[in-house]
């Protein structure tokens, strides 16, 4: 790399060398593509292009057919004394470092997403299987649902702990709580807003969990987890009707497939008995879950992670204060009788509540840290995970109809994961592949024509390819 002093000196030397006019012009020697022909102009009236290229030199090099000459490139230095370079080594290195950093960040995000998928599916499979084990000694689904929902109170403390660890600007718990309370309005959370905003969501949350647990008493974990995946289709239908979201034909097909799978699942053992009741309970759980998500989007909008943690902790408080009367009513009416508190299987209950809390944390945090589609795939993978546990541990034998229904529901779930612009993206992708193939074909024809010309020159003949 030349310094400024060396450039100015070379510019002073150039005034001693002249180039004859075009009528009697001749080149003293062939310049290299990257080398410097130090020829200058005797007449300063010749035009110079914007990039510092002398028109007369371009013409001479083009007429002489100098090999390696690129039109628009000149070995001459600019008038300001600085050399013209297509690319500098520093810019090329920085471009490579930026591309390497981008690829690294993408790889880390994808690997983190795959790990998140495994954690989400494992936690949901563990939750479902622990429920089945707990029912063997403690068959009180509403008490289990109420006890597990109380653990939502820990959402905000866990979020605040992560906030303290990952940020430099520290806020007190009260300051952070007030900041996240803006989800309820500019004035923060009042008692009226606490009841008005939290009550419907807390009731839907409790119904979703309670119906899911009731369905697990009637059906296998695989069937219930597969039927619960239908909530994605119900979310689309409700969003289309209530929120006026965009209509997509492929999602209508997916919703029809989900309904078909539900009917096939109910038909597997005939439309009677525990099987039909279990299917109805699982579909009810998926419906209340879809209604919860649509109402959350309608009234609360797109909340950030802190506001979601605040809202879920608030629902935990509401569940502890207002819904605690329901387990007591069920206890005294002998609908759910659990005996003394010391006889309860606290190990299973705490393990179940902890797994449920981990699952909900992973779902809400994973949407922020990685791709949301991976979280949905993690929920879907709970179906084969539960199937593997049912076959290996509980020795469950699935009928052909149940397997077909499960596959149809899972396929419909995958179709619902397609983005809104999937059709245009697919068309652009196919067009890009077609353009790439045509370019490769054109390069092959060019290479073959150059090879043919070189052989013709060697033989003293000229051959023009027909391509």
């Amino acid at each position: 790399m030349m310094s400024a002093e060396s450039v100015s000196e070379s510019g002073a030397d150039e005034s001693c060398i002249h180039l004859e006019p075009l009528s009697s012009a001749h080149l003293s020697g062939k310049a290299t593509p990257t080398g410097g022909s130090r020829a200058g102009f005797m007449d300063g009236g010749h035009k110079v292009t914007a990039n510092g290229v002398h028109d007369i030199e371009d013409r001479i090099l083009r007429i002489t057919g100098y090999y390696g000459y690129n039109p628009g490139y000149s070995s001459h230095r600019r008038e300001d004394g600085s050399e013209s370079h297509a690319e500098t080594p520093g810019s090329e290195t920085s471009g490579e470092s930026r591309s390497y950093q981008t690829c690294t960040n993408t790889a880390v995000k994808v690997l983190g997403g795959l790990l998140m998928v495994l954690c989400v599916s494992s936690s949901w499979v563990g939750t479902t299987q622990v429920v089945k084990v707990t029912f063997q000694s403690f068959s009180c689904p509403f008490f289990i649902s109420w006890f597990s929902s109380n653990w939502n109170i820990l959402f905000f403390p866990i979020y605040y702990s992560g906030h303290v660890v990952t940020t430099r600007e520290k806020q007190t718990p009260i300051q952070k709580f007030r900041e996240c309370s803006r989800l309820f309005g500019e004035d923060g959370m009042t008692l009226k807003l606490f009841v008005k905003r939290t009550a419907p969501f807390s009731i839907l949350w409790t119904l979703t969990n309670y119906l899911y647990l009731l369905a697990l008493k009637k059906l296998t974990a695989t069937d219930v987890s597969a039927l619960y995946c239908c909530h994605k289709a119900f979310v689309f239908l409700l969003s289309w009707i209530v929120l006026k979201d965009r209509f997509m034909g492929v999602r209508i097909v997916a919703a029809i497939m989900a309904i078909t799978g539900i009917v096939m699942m109910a038909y597997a053992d005939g439309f009677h008995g525990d099987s039909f009741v279990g299917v109805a309970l699982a579909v009810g759980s998926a419906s209340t879950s879809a209604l919860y998500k649509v109402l959350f989007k309608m009234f609360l909008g797109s909340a950030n992670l802190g506001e979601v943690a605040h809202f879920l902790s608030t629902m935990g408080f509401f569940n502890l204060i207002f819904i605690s009367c329901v387990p007591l009513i069920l206890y005294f009416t002998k609908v759910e009788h659990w005996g003394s508190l010391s006889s309860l299987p606290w190990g299973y209950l705490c393990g179940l509540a902890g797994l449920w809390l981990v699952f909900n944390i992973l779902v809400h945090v994973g949407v922020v840290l990685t791709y949301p589609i991976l979280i949905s795939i993690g929920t879907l993978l709970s179906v084969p995970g539960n199937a593997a546990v049912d076959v290996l541990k509980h020795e469950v034998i699935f009928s052909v109809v149940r397997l077909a229904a499960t596959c149809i529901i899972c396929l419909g779930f995958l179709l619902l994961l397609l983005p809104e612009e999937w059709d245009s993206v697919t068309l652009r992708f196919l067009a890009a592949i077609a353009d790439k193939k045509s370019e490769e074909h054109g390069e092959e024809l060019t290479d073959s024509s150059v090879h043919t010309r070189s052989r013709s020159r060697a033989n003293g003949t000229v051959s023009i390819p027909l391509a």
Side-chain angles (χ1 to χ4, degrees):
M1 183 174 179
M2 299 179 64
S3 61
E5 291 80 3
S6 62
V7 171
S8 61
E9 291 174 0
S10 64
D13 294 336
E14 286 180 350
S15 60
C16 302
I17 303 175
H18 305 283
L19 186 67
E20 298 297 330
L22 183 60
S23 59
S24 60
H26 67 276
L27 289 176
S28 59
K30 290 184 179 180
T32 59
T34 58
S37 171
R38 302 177 61 85
F41 291 104
M42 182 169 58
D43 184 9
H46 290 291
K47 294 183 179 180
V48 180
T49 58
N51 59 353
V53 179
H54 297 264
D55 293 342
I56 188 169
E57 183 185 3
D58 283 9
R59 294 173 183 174
I60 294 173
L61 292 175
R62 191 179 296 111
I63 293 171
T64 57
Y66 177 70
Y67 288 87
Y69 167 70
N70 295 322
Y73 174 83
S74 175
S75 58
H76 285 281
R77 292 169 176 82
R78 297 180 187 272
E79 290 185 340
D80 59 358
S82 61
E83 290 184 311
S84 59
H85 296 282
E87 287 186 0
T88 60
S91 62
E92 185 177 352
T93 304
S94 61
E96 291 178 356
S97 62
R98 284 195 299 269
S99 61
Y100 176 77
Q101 185 177 3
T102 302
C103 294
T104 302
N105 294 336
T106 304
V108 170
K109 192 172 184 179
V110 171
L111 290 176
L114 294 177
L115 180 62
M116 188 69 69
V117 166
L118 294 177
C119 293
V120 168
S121 59
S122 300
S123 60
W124 191 235
V125 170
T127 301
T128 306
Q129 294 296 330
V130 171
V131 169
K132 297 289 289 187
V133 175
T134 306
F135 279 159
Q136 296 177 1
S137 58
F138 185 72
S139 181
C140 298
F142 194 90
F143 180 86
I144 295 174
S145 174
W146 170 81
F147 180 78
S148 300
S149 298
N150 289 335
W151 283 51
N152 286 342
I153 298 174
L154 300 176
F155 255 96
F156 188 80
I158 294 174
Y159 164 76
Y160 181 75
S161 301
H163 166 75
V164 171
V165 173
T166 56
T167 58
R168 295 181 179 179
E169 298 180 359
K170 309 300 180 184
Q171 291 179 304
T172 63
I174 301 299
Q175 291 175 341
K176 194 63 180 176
F177 188 83
R178 289 177 178 174
E179 178 183 339
C180 296
S181 298
R182 296 175 183 174
L183 181 68
F184 292 90
E186 294 297 331
D187 299 332
M189 184 177 62
T190 61
L191 181 60
K192 181 180 179 181
L193 286 176
F194 170 72
V195 177
K196 181 179 179 180
R197 293 289 181 88
T198 310
F201 294 101
S202 183
I203 293 173
L204 288 174
W205 181 283
T206 302
L207 279 176
T208 299
N209 296 340
Y210 180 55
L211 293 175
Y212 189 85
L213 296 178
L214 286 177
L216 285 174
K217 295 184 67 176
K218 306 291 184 180
L219 301 174
T220 63
T222 305
D223 295 341
V224 177
S225 59
L227 290 169
Y228 182 75
C229 289
C230 294
H231 78 277
K232 200 78 173 177
F234 299 152
V235 168
F236 163 69
L237 293 176
L238 288 174
S239 299
W240 177 40
I241 297 172
V242 178
L243 302 181
K244 307 300 181 182
D245 281 359
R246 177 186 174 187
F247 173 82
M248 291 183 62
V250 67
R251 294 187 179 180
I252 290 292
V253 174
I256 294 173
M257 293 177 67
I259 296 172
T260 303
I262 293 170
V263 175
M264 291 178 63
M265 193 75 72
Y267 175 75
D269 296 330
F271 294 97
H272 62 276
D274 292 342
S275 178
F276 181 77
V277 175
V279 171
L281 292 171
V283 173
S285 176
S287 302
T288 52
S289 176
L291 184 59
Y292 169 88
K293 294 179 180 180
V294 172
L295 290 179
F296 188 93
K297 184 178 180 180
M298 178 186 297
F299 293 108
L300 302 180
S302 56
N304 57 36
L305 184 58
E307 292 172 343
V308 171
H310 178 279
F311 184 75
L312 292 175
S313 293
T314 305
M315 284 202 310
F317 277 109
F318 185 91
N319 184 80
L320 180 63
I321 295 172
F322 294 99
I323 304 184
S324 296
C325 60
V326 179
L328 295 176
I329 294 174
L330 296 177
Y331 174 78
F332 288 112
T333 57
K334 302 299 179 68
V335 176
E336 289 187 0
H337 186 73
W338 57 78
S340 61
L341 294 178
S342 59
S343 62
L344 295 178
W346 291 110
Y348 287 132
L349 291 176
C350 292
L352 169 62
L355 285 172
W356 219 323
L357 178 65
V358 169
F359 171 76
N360 289 317
I361 291 175
L362 290 175
V363 168
H364 292 91
V365 174
V367 172
V368 177
L369 297 181
T370 184
Y371 304 101
I373 190 174
L374 296 178
I375 305 302
S376 299
I377 293 175
T379 305
L380 180 64
L381 288 179
S382 65
V383 178
N386 281 314
V389 175
D390 287 341
V391 171
L392 297 177
K393 184 178 180 180
H394 303 292
E395 297 181 355
V396 177
I397 300 176
F398 297 101
S399 62
V400 177
V401 178
R402 288 184 180 276
L403 286 176
T406 302
C407 293
I408 290 174
I409 292 174
C410 293
L411 182 59
F413 187 91
L414 290 175
L415 290 178
L416 288 166
L417 297 181
L418 292 175
E420 291 186 356
E421 304 295 336
W422 72 274
D423 48 355
S424 59
V425 171
T426 303
L427 291 176
R428 286 197 300 266
F429 178 72
L430 294 176
I433 293 177
D435 292 341
K436 186 176 180 181
K437 289 183 178 180
S438 62
E439 290 178 0
E440 292 177 352
H441 183 64
E443 290 177 358
E444 291 177 357
L445 293 177
T446 304
D447 294 339
S448 63
S449 63
V450 171
H451 183 64
T452 304
R453 289 177 180 176
S454 62
R455 286 188 302 174
S456 300
R457 288 173 181 172
N459 297 329
T461 59
V462 178
S463 175
I464 301 177
L466 298 179

